[in-house]
Amino acid sequence: VEEMRSQHPQETQEQIAQRLIVQKTWEGGRLGLLTNIIPPVAAFFLGIELIATTKLQTEMVYEIAAAYRLDLSESARRGEVLAIFGLSLGADVLKTGLTVVEIIPGIGAVVGASTNAAMLYVLGQTACRFYQSKAGEIEVESMQEETAADWQVALKQSQIMDKILAQMVR
């Protein structure tokens, strides 16, 4: 976070947080692509992918907290990570529902990459709103509404991806 701040000294906390989200989203997409590129091995890598994705999610939430200049050693951060995971629940449900699709040759890698990226993006946006509401910058109700809207967008994008994948299968 400090390195990113030094590279972009004029940016606000929120802008730095958005850069962190994009960075982790790309990492998650690459992870999903790599762990699903070879279909027979994808099933074996499922557990590893879930652990690695959870690690990325946790790192991202802590980095966003640091972007908002919160003390990472404070015990409240652990509880906040769990709260943010709860607020953005659905990411892991979405991921669990797609695991069978991820082992289909050619399709699995695309689904794995896009699902990981979507999960990380929504989680990151939720974390930003959480820390903004904690600082009194936005209302809690607004945060919940915007997180729900993010999930609607993610689900619509998932439906588009399903149509594209159906065409690929045909």
Side-chain angles (χ1 to χ4, degrees), residues 47-98:
I48 295 168
E49 181 186 8
L50 289 174
I51 291 167
T53 302
T54 301
K55 180 182 180 289
L56 277 176
Q57 291 171 331
T58 304
E59 285 174 354
M60 183 178 62
V61 172
Y62 271 93
E63 288 172 0
I64 291 170
Y68 283 94
R69 302 196 184 278
L70 297 170
D71 181 5
L72 299 183
S73 62
E74 192 175 308
S75 62
R77 294 298 89 77
R78 286 189 300 264
E80 290 169 357
V81 169
L82 293 174
I84 292 166
F85 277 16
L87 287 170
S88 68
L89 188 68
D92 293 326
V93 172
L94 177 66
K95 183 67 178 174
T96 303
L98 292 172

Side-chain angles (χ1 to χ4, degrees), residues 129 139-151:
R129 288 189 199 104
E139 298 293 323
V140 173
E141 295 80 23
S142 171
M143 177 185 70
Q144 292 169 334
E145 290 169 9
E146 290 177 25
T147 299
D150 282 347
W151 274 115

